[in-house]
């Protein structure tokens, strides 16, 4: 898979995409992540990438020309399955959407800009708008990092068997069961006895029961989704 990320703040994306499972996936060439600085595509001597909004109002708006030119350059090299814009008014990014995107070959993530982007970019260049939650970030970079992380860990080979994404919270609309490690007893706080029993059938039954009761208690909406 290849992920091209377009941003005016490339430094914001460096660290989240250079550690842990995403780093390993990149090293193993499971994913090619290329962060593009929009600035060189900017206008004039100062390489402006934003401008005042028509009709007035506070804040600067990301211009269409730099974005158009960069996307056109990328499209010359390959075909993109989705060109995604990160925005609080996009569709909710869910595990289901992460699963779907992880099966695509080439995607572009255009990071949103604090005051917004020229609507014509959204109307004519973007194929999908995604929000990572009902709150407003200063820009779309952290949202792009979240989407990339959630997608990359699903790529075949990114996780070891023990880390398998199949047992993740949300994968079957259930929260994951609680997990424990040594010591089995700490200040009188005990690990559930069944986990120490060595009986895989009993352990699995317990985990399924815990998953369900946790979901009923903490996220009943997930169970409603299931019956729809
Ligand atoms: N940009 C700003 N806020 C955002 C959000 N909640 N999701 C995606 N992109 C954003």
């Amino acid at each position: 898979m290849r992920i091209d990320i377009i941003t005016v703040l490339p430094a914001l994306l460096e660290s989240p995409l250079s550690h842990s499972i995403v780093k390993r996936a990149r090293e193993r060439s499971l994913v090619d992540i290329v962060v593009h600085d929009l600035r060189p595509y900017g206008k004039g001597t100062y390489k402006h990438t934003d401008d005042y909004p028509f009709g007035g109002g506070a804040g600067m708006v990301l211009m269409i020309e730099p974005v158009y030119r960069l996307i056109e350059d990328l499209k010359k090299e390959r075909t993109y399955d989705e060109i995604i814009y990160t925005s609080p008014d996009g569709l909710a990014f869910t595990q289901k959407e992460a699963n779907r995107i992880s099966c695509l070959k080439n995607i572009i993530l255009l990071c949103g800009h604090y005051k917004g982007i020229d609507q014509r970019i959204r109307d004519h260049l973007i194929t999908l708008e995604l929000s990572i939650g009902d709150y407003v970030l200063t820009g779309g970079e952290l949202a792009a990092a979240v989407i990339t992380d959630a997608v990359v860990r699903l790529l075949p080979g990114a996780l070891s068997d023990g880390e398998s994404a199949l047992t993740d919270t949300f994968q079957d609309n259930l929260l994951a069961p609680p997990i424990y490690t040594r010591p089995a007893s700490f200040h009188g706080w005990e690990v559930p006895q069944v986990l120490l029993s060595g009986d895989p059938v009993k352990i699995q039954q317990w985990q399924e029961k815990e998953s369900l009761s946790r979901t009923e208690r903490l996220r009943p909406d997930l169970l409603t989704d299931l019956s729809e």
Side-chain angles (χ1 to χ4, degrees):
M1 179 178 199
R2 177 172 167 124
I3 305 176
D4 288 284
I5 308 180
I6 301 175
T7 171
V8 287
L9 295 167
L12 257 182
L13 285 155
E14 263 163 36
S15 176
L17 303 180
S18 312
H19 296 279
S20 178
I21 287 162
V22 178
K23 176 185 178 192
R24 206 171 64 193
R26 294 176 86 174
E27 284 169 355
R28 289 179 182 170
S29 301
L30 304 177
V31 64
D32 200 3
I33 302 174
V34 185
V35 177
H36 302 270
D37 186 356
L38 190 61
R39 182 71 57 189
Y41 286 81
K43 276 192 97 179
T45 321
Y46 296 105
K47 301 284 176 202
H48 289 301
T49 53
D50 53 11
D51 207 341
Y52 296 98
F54 280 127
M60 303 291 273
V61 178
L62 199 68
M63 298 158 76
I64 189 165
E65 289 141 302
V67 176
Y68 179 83
R69 283 202 299 267
L70 177 40
I71 291 181
E72 281 303 299
D73 277 356
L74 292 174
K75 280 183 176 170
K76 279 181 209 146
E77 300 297 323
R78 65 197 68 77
T79 306
Y80 286 93
D81 303 301
E82 293 281 16
I83 302 181
I84 301 168
Y85 173 57
T86 57
S87 164
D89 49 16
L91 284 177
F93 179 63
T94 58
Q95 188 62 44
K96 198 169 157 210
E97 192 58 10
N99 291 342
R100 187 188 73 82
I101 293 173
S102 74
C103 298
L104 303 180
K105 194 163 182 305
N106 301 314
I107 64 162
I108 293 175
L109 280 167
L110 171 64
C111 300
H113 199 57
Y114 32 91
K115 208 53 212 174
I117 65 174
D118 190 307
Q119 182 61 35
R120 290 166 294 183
I121 300 174
R122 302 172 78 164
D123 292 344
H124 302 288
L125 303 177
I126 296 300
T127 62
L128 174 67
E129 303 195 350
L130 289 177
S131 162
I132 62 159
D134 288 343
Y135 40 81
V136 180
L137 303 166
T138 48
E141 284 73 17
L142 297 180
V146 166
I147 293 168
T148 304
D149 185 290
V151 166
V152 168
R153 64 191 292 286
L154 297 172
L155 297 176
L159 299 178
S160 63
D161 281 352
E163 298 165 332
S164 170
L166 293 175
T167 55
D168 283 346
T169 278
F170 299 127
Q171 227 19 300
D172 44 11
N173 267 31
L174 290 173
L175 301 184
I179 53 168
Y180 301 86
T181 187
R182 286 183 287 188
S185 175
F186 179 75
H187 290 304
W189 300 331
E190 307 294 336
V191 168
Q193 211 46 48
V194 63
L195 294 179
L196 310 174
S197 69
D199 182 335
V201 177
K202 272 195 188 147
I203 291 173
Q204 196 184 338
Q205 283 168 349
W206 179 85
Q207 286 171 331
E208 285 169 4
K209 195 168 80 36
E210 286 295 318
S211 259
L212 191 59
S213 65
R214 249 188 160 189
T215 312
E216 281 166 347
R217 191 162 36 91
L218 302 171
R219 292 291 308 273
D221 56 300
L222 292 175
L223 298 171
T224 323
D225 288 353
L226 206 57
S227 60
E228 276 168 0

